[in-house]
Amino acid sequence: MEKTNTLFYIVLIGTLFGMLQVSNATNHTPPIFIFGDSTADVGTNSFLPTSKIRADFPHNGIDFPHSKPTGRFSNGFNSADLLSKLMGHRRSPQPYLWFLKAGLTTRIFRGVNFASGASGLLDVTGKDLNIVSISEQIKQFETVCSILTYVKGRDAAMKILARSVIAISVGSNDIFGYFENQSTIEPLVFINSLITAYEGHINALYNLGARKFGIISVPPIGCCPSQRIHNSTGGCLEIENTFARAFHSSLDVLLKKLSFKLPDMKYALGNSYEMTINVIDHPQLFNFTSIDTACCGKGWLNAEKSCTPDANLCSNRDEYLFWDLFHPTQYAAELAATSLYNGGLQFVAPINFSQLAAC
Ligand SMILES: *[C@@H]1O[C@H](CO)[C@@H](O)[C@H](O)[C@H]1NC(C)=O
Ligand SMILES: *[C@@H]1O[C@H](CO)[C@@H](O)[C@H](O)[C@H]1NC(C)=O
Ligand SMILES: *[C@@H]1O[C@H](CO)[C@@H](O)[C@H](O)[C@H]1NC(C)=O
Ligand SMILES: *[C@@H]1O[C@H](CO)[C@@H](O)[C@H](O)[C@H]1NC(C)=O
């Protein structure tokens, strides 16, 4: 109880500061709340002293303003930033844990990023790596919703939440975990367990007032440099790509079902698989010279070691699809964000993120 009161006190003080803050987001810019894994993490894991999955050191961030390593698994901004920017924000909102440390001002009402590298749909994914699971991310969002309701009143809070875009990028780490663990669960049973978990998470968010879901599915993860080095030809690990495609199809069915069941639910499903394969198949269209080698790393395909201060670093970073053994470069993330926001039905359906933001 005491703790709750302190929290509200901080918020009320924050409200006064919040009023003085100049916002460059216009009234048309919907708030954005971001959930997921390292593809959307803008520094969450840097606030977790014992987290093993982090990027708060060089060469990460080399193309970020002042070459600052921010905890993003990228040379610069990531898709969460670029998508937020397209929606009218300056970049991704700060991590929830940043607000917790800096003070919960009313800025949290314009958006929060909860994404944490190595998390998955299942609570067991990343459990031993000291990260924030999706279930935990949703609990943190619940705290934001309580504060919103306390400050604005229930009706206004529900209106704000209904306008907000809920962006979620998750699933790859669960599939990596399946193969790392050499799981004997039937593939279809496993994919179904991921979809059931996703349904639970979307229901939980909906029950808190969320209505607009921008869902980003799993890319061809078998084509990450980290996986290619397990194929003697350096080609993609086909079985993992099969899982990614199955995940997308099942997710498509789930979202159709939920949008019939849940009044006023709207969604856009981004097909990361198609977007990425399109680039891998036609690299020259996007001026990529390397689609299989990490820009930053060590060993074969620069994928035997992660990106650290003593790793090899490429100089032509806009010509690489991959920044490190798992993650896209800023340029690749920009292409992805643009496809999600403005893309046609082959990349995002039944509407794109710009239509989702506006509806
Ligand atoms: C992998 O297996 C271990 C041991 O059975 C289990 O504790 C862990 O949760 C599993 N990880 C995933 C991601 O399934
Ligand atoms: C390895 O890559 C080749 C293409 O270079 C592909 O034909 C083959 O199926 C891949 N092997 C596995 C195990 O995925
Ligand atoms: C690729 O490079 C050419 C020549 O520099 C440029 O004209 C073109 O716009 C670039 N394409 C993309 C997709 O950036
Ligand atoms: C996607 O978004 C743009 C607006 O940014 C819109 O004009 C276009 O019609 C949409 N594309 C499709 C295929 O729905």
Side-chain angles (χ1 to χ4, degrees):
M1 211 49 206
E2 194 117 302
K3 209 171 162 196
T4 314
N5 284 337
T6 310
L7 197 60
F8 286 149
Y9 184 60
I10 292 168
V11 171
L12 290 180
I13 294 190
T15 308
L16 299 175
F17 284 110
M19 285 173 181
L20 300 173
Q21 277 169 358
V22 184
S23 161
N24 51 353
T26 72
N27 286 337
H28 304 292
T29 305
I32 184 164
F33 296 97
I34 300 168
F35 300 80
D37 57 26
S38 57
T39 53
D41 187 337
V42 292
T44 296
N45 285 9
S46 312
F47 288 95
L48 305 168
T50 57
S51 173
K52 296 182 178 108
I53 307 299
R54 52 202 314 139
D56 50 352
F57 43 78
H59 302 297
N60 293 294
I62 186 155
D63 297 315
F64 200 84
H66 313 293
S67 293
K68 190 181 167 199
T70 58
R72 287 167 175 80
F73 298 81
S74 169
N75 54 314
F77 292 101
N78 67 21
S79 321
D81 292 303
L82 300 161
L83 200 52
S84 301
K85 198 172 168 187
L86 287 167
M87 290 191 188
H89 298 262
R90 196 159 73 95
R91 59 174 73 162
S92 166
Q94 293 283 0
Y96 177 78
L97 299 178
W98 181 91
F99 283 111
L100 218 51
K101 198 170 168 197
L104 288 159
T105 72
T106 52
R107 257 175 77 190
I108 59 170
F109 303 157
R110 279 189 261 139
V112 179
N113 186 320
F114 303 91
S116 168
S119 66
L121 288 159
L122 306 176
D123 288 344
V124 298
T125 302
K127 197 172 188 295
D128 303 328
L129 299 170
N130 302 319
I131 49 92
V132 188
S133 68
I134 292 282
S135 304
E136 204 63 38
Q137 293 176 32
I138 294 173
K139 286 204 191 97
Q140 295 175 339
F141 178 62
E142 193 172 349
T143 303
V144 171
C145 294
S146 316
I147 297 168
L148 180 65
T149 305
Y150 182 85
V151 173
K152 303 260 181 187
R154 189 173 163 80
D155 289 354
M158 285 300 142
K159 274 200 185 115
I160 292 169
L161 287 171
R163 285 182 62 228
S164 302
V165 170
I166 308 296
I168 314 178
S169 175
V170 71
S172 302
N173 293 321
D174 300 288
I175 301 177
F176 283 135
Y178 177 91
F179 287 100
E180 263 162 36
N181 258 7
Q182 300 183 305
S183 175
T184 52
I185 302 171
E186 276 294 309
L188 281 180
V189 173
F190 178 70
I191 298 289
N192 280 338
S193 74
L194 299 188
I195 298 300
T196 304
Y198 223 140
E199 181 169 15
H201 297 320
I202 293 174
N203 273 319
L205 291 164
Y206 181 90
N207 289 335
L208 291 169
R211 292 296 177 267
K212 300 203 278 186
F213 296 85
I215 308 262
I216 301 161
S217 71
V218 172
I221 51 174
C223 299
C224 287
S226 63
Q227 308 311 102
R228 285 177 183 269
I229 60 172
H230 299 298
N231 183 338
S232 57
T233 70
C236 305
L237 280 189
E238 293 304 334
I239 181 71
E240 294 187 355
N241 286 355
T242 306
F243 272 57
R245 287 194 299 270
F247 178 74
H248 180 86
S249 314
S250 305
L251 190 52
D252 193 26
V253 173
L254 170 70
L255 291 170
K256 277 196 185 97
K257 182 184 97 175
L258 288 178
S259 68
F260 278 116
K261 202 176 90 183
L262 305 173
D264 295 328
M265 177 196 162
K266 296 167 197 82
Y267 73 94
L269 173 58
N271 191 339
S272 310
Y273 192 92
E274 280 306 317
M275 294 187 309
T276 311
I277 279 291
N278 185 40
V279 170
I280 291 173
D281 291 345
H282 311 285
Q284 65 291 349
L285 283 184
F286 306 93
N287 293 339
F288 284 113
T289 56
S290 172
I291 47 98
D292 59 358
T293 303
C295 169
C296 182
K298 268 191 184 174
W300 188 32
L301 301 182
N302 258 349
E304 293 176 51
K305 291 268 167 63
S306 56
C307 181
T308 54
D310 65 340
N312 302 320
L313 175 70
C314 72
S315 52
N316 44 345
R317 292 181 283 277
D318 286 353
E319 295 178 12
Y320 278 68
L321 176 56
F322 286 98
W323 163 241
D324 64 9
L325 70 176
F326 286 112
H327 305 101
T329 53
Q330 168 178 279
Y331 172 56
E334 213 170 278
L335 292 176
T338 308
S339 289
L340 290 168
Y341 192 73
N342 283 322
L345 289 171
Q346 76 272 35
F347 297 134
V348 53
I351 55 174
N352 57 36
F353 280 51
S354 77
Q355 293 165 313
L356 184 73
C359 72

